[in-house]
Amino acid sequence: MIMLNKNNYQYNKTNQILLGFAIILSLILFVELAIRAYTFNFEALANSTGQYLPDFSNHFDKLRVGIEYRFLIIIYILWLIINKDRKRDINFIKILKNSSFFLLIAFITYPITTDVNLYIHYGLMNLNGVNPFINSANTFTSNLSPFLVWKQTSTYGPISQLIFMFSAAFVAITPSLGIYVFKLICLLFHILNSYLIWRNLKTSPHKANITIAYLVNPFLLYEQVTNAHIDILISTILIILIICLKNHNYIATIVTAWIGFLIKTLPIIWLPLIFVYLIKQQRWKILFSAICISLSIIIAASIIALPTADAWKSLLNPGVGEKVNDSLYALVKSLLNLKILNFSLSFQQTLYSIFKPIIFSIFVVSYLIILVKPYWKKNYSETNLSVNIGWVTLILFIFAAPWYCSWYSTVLLAVVALNIHSKRFAITSIVFCIMSAII
């Protein structure tokens, strides 16, 4: 008993120290990003060139803020390690209350990227009767135009547009209000995601720790709440989809995947896995219903928002073209461009054109192997399918996304939280997310 009390005291003392450091760093980051947001807004409004404005014009500021953010992630990792075996029974309201400081800081911190400005701009286009899937962002002028980096047609589906429109309705009062309305939606969805995870893990002795780890994850809070990326809705879709799968509600699973696709295109890669699983299970009536539902959704989307082939093509993000960013493809390009190699530009392009299909083929082969797994694995369950949906998503990010952004991987943490027993996937995904955040 004395030993137990001593261990609890050490746990509490260490946690309090880590909490203190986390609060201090969060406040420092809040001030840093507030200053940067003010400066960025001022520069964007004064910018008449239409050229991209970097997040940080001063490299020292960027380095300092980057170090602060990385230390916050290190503190979080230490907390995970120290509390990994700790079991506690806490209800969700108590968890939410204990996490409220970090949720509030994430919400009030002004977004440092311009993606949310683009979302609201698309919403304003819709409110003014301009279809953002056919007309590029630069064909329409709004109060947010000076903040736009990407000026292409929308890559976000019709359901995303509804949320953009709702937020954009508040821009008439002030543009910042529209942005914070969208941030509030993101915060509420983050809380919803955490609650769904907590509820789904009702039989797990670690459900409180997993829920807290998801709720206060600095990577999730920074990318999905502070910077308000639409990927938070894909996390919600993925959580609901996995829950539907585990409850054997296959029609709801198919509908959920399609709703996800109408938010952002990523969920389209999950559908073949689900269909193959249903074929293996010989769920012919469900398959027939799923096909009818899929066709109905495609037809409805074509009539309402995506009337042309170019509009559908817009969802595939054609604006990035041959560009690369923070990906394996970008790494290959950087290595080929090393001065020590002294390759000519034409030779670099030739080598890259050879490596590119090889890298992509790794994704294709891996995807096909995962796709047929139900046929060669004897005991293939809905849990296996949900983990493989996570693997396919991870492999896509690594091998089939020349243009990769760190917040894409936030969706993987939803799969990890619901499948923590799959240690290989959990560790691989967490490491990949940490590397994405740090890089």
Side-chain angles (χ1 to χ4, degrees):
M1 187 69 178
I2 295 173
M3 183 63 69
L4 183 63
N5 289 334
K6 185 177 180 180
N7 288 339
N8 285 334
Y9 173 76
Q10 289 175 339
Y11 265 128
N12 292 334
K13 186 176 181 180
T14 306
N15 282 333
Q16 285 174 2
I17 293 171
L18 291 176
L19 177 63
F21 279 121
I23 289 173
I24 292 169
L25 271 175
S26 297
L27 289 171
I28 292 172
L29 266 174
F30 165 70
V31 174
E32 293 269 25
L33 296 181
I35 293 170
R36 176 58 200 137
Y38 173 80
T39 307
F40 178 80
N41 287 346
F42 181 79
E43 291 172 348
L45 289 171
N47 178 32
S48 59
T49 65
Q51 298 297 313
Y52 169 73
L53 293 173
D55 291 338
F56 289 91
S57 53
N58 187 304
H59 290 297
F60 176 73
D61 292 343
K62 183 176 183 179
L63 178 64
R64 185 181 65 252
V65 172
I67 290 172
E68 292 162 2
Y69 178 51
R70 288 168 179 83
F71 268 112
L72 193 58
I73 291 174
I74 290 169
I75 290 172
Y76 172 77
I77 293 169
L78 290 173
W79 177 84
L80 285 180
I81 294 170
I82 291 168
N83 293 274
K84 65 182 176 66
D85 296 321
R86 193 177 184 189
K87 299 176 183 178
R88 43 188 166 177
D89 187 17
I90 310 174
N91 64 42
F92 185 75
I93 297 299
K94 183 71 178 294
I95 291 172
L96 193 59
K97 183 180 177 181
N98 291 344
S99 308
S100 58
F101 170 80
F102 297 106
L103 296 175
L104 180 63
I105 285 289
F107 171 68
I108 63 177
T109 302
Y110 199 85
I112 199 167
T113 68
T114 58
D115 283 14
V116 66
N117 301 77
L118 183 60
Y119 301 161
I120 309 301
H121 183 79
Y122 284 141
L124 289 170
M125 291 176 70
N126 278 293
L127 289 175
N128 286 274
V130 181
N131 189 327
F133 301 110
I134 299 173
N135 302 280
S136 58
N138 61 357
T139 62
F140 179 82
T141 303
S142 76
N143 292 337
L144 297 167
S145 294
F147 303 96
L148 301 186
V149 174
W150 296 97
K151 300 179 181 180
Q152 63 188 58
T153 53
S154 180
T155 64
Y156 312 103
I159 293 178
S160 293
Q161 302 302 322
L162 295 175
I163 301 172
F164 298 165
M165 289 168 65
F166 176 79
S167 304
F170 294 87
V171 171
I173 301 173
T174 173
S176 293
L177 180 59
I179 288 170
Y180 271 96
V181 167
F182 188 80
K183 278 172 62 70
L184 178 60
I185 293 170
C186 291
L187 175 62
L188 294 176
F189 268 99
H190 181 63
I191 293 171
L192 172 63
N193 294 347
S194 303
Y195 172 73
L196 290 174
I197 289 167
W198 179 82
R199 186 172 180 179
N200 188 70
L201 297 174
K202 54 189 175 184
T203 60
S204 172
H206 301 290
K207 73 172 184 177
N209 269 3
I210 294 171
T211 305
I212 295 169
Y214 189 88
L215 191 61
V216 301
N217 185 303
F219 182 44
L220 285 174
L221 288 177
Y222 179 70
E223 298 293 9
Q224 293 191 346
V225 179
T226 295
N227 286 324
H229 285 115
I230 196 68
D231 303 71
I232 192 168
L233 298 183
I234 300 300
S235 293
T236 307
I237 289 296
L238 192 46
I239 291 168
I240 294 172
L241 185 148
I242 290 172
I243 292 172
C244 289
L245 269 179
K246 292 183 177 181
N247 291 329
H248 312 292
N249 196 338
Y250 303 118
I251 292 295
T253 300
I254 296 291
V255 172
T256 301
W258 274 110
I259 291 173
F261 172 75
L262 295 176
I263 294 171
K264 194 175 179 180
T265 53
L266 175 64
I268 199 69
I269 67 167
W270 307 336
L271 280 167
L273 275 71
I274 299 167
F275 274 102
V276 168
Y277 179 76
L278 293 176
I279 292 170
K280 176 64 169 60
Q281 295 289 318
Q282 298 184 352
R283 308 270 185 167
W284 307 121
K285 289 183 179 179
I286 293 176
L287 270 168
F288 178 75
S289 300
I291 292 169
C292 291
I293 290 169
S294 299
L295 291 173
S296 300
I297 290 172
I298 292 170
I299 292 169
S302 298
I303 294 171
I304 297 170
L306 303 162
T308 65
D310 284 340
W312 282 95
K313 186 180 177 182
S314 178
L315 298 178
L316 301 176
N317 202 6
V320 298
E322 293 296 315
K323 297 176 182 177
V324 297
N325 179 70
D326 291 345
S327 63
L328 186 56
Y329 296 82
L331 177 61
V332 170
K333 271 200 166 183
S334 298
L335 292 175
L336 293 175
N337 194 36
L338 287 175
K339 290 183 178 180
I340 193 172
L341 297 176
N342 199 27
F343 291 152
S344 66
L345 183 60
S346 60
F347 188 60
Q348 288 179 37
Q349 292 172 345
T350 301
L351 285 177
Y352 180 70
S353 66
I354 294 171
F355 281 115
K356 186 176 180 181
I358 293 173
I359 296 171
F360 186 77
S361 66
I362 296 173
F363 164 72
V364 173
V365 172
S366 301
Y367 186 89
L368 291 174
I369 291 172
I370 293 172
L371 191 64
V372 300
K373 263 191 175 183
Y375 285 94
W376 57 267
K377 187 171 182 178
K378 188 176 181 180
N379 299 314
Y380 191 89
S381 65
E382 287 84 0
T383 300
N384 296 130
L385 177 56
S386 68
V387 173
N388 282 329
I389 285 173
W391 276 118
V392 160
T393 307
L394 174 60
I395 293 167
L396 173 79
F397 293 153
I398 296 174
F399 298 107
W403 184 270
Y404 173 78
C405 296
S406 59
W407 53 88
Y408 295 174
S409 63
T410 54
V411 301
L412 295 171
L413 295 176
V415 188
V416 170
L418 293 173
N419 295 281
I420 201 70
H421 58 275
S422 181
K423 292 183 179 180
R424 187 173 59 172
F425 173 75
I427 292 171
T428 306
S429 296
I430 290 171
V431 170
F432 183 75
C433 287
I434 290 171
M435 293 303 297
S436 293
I438 290 173
I439 292 171

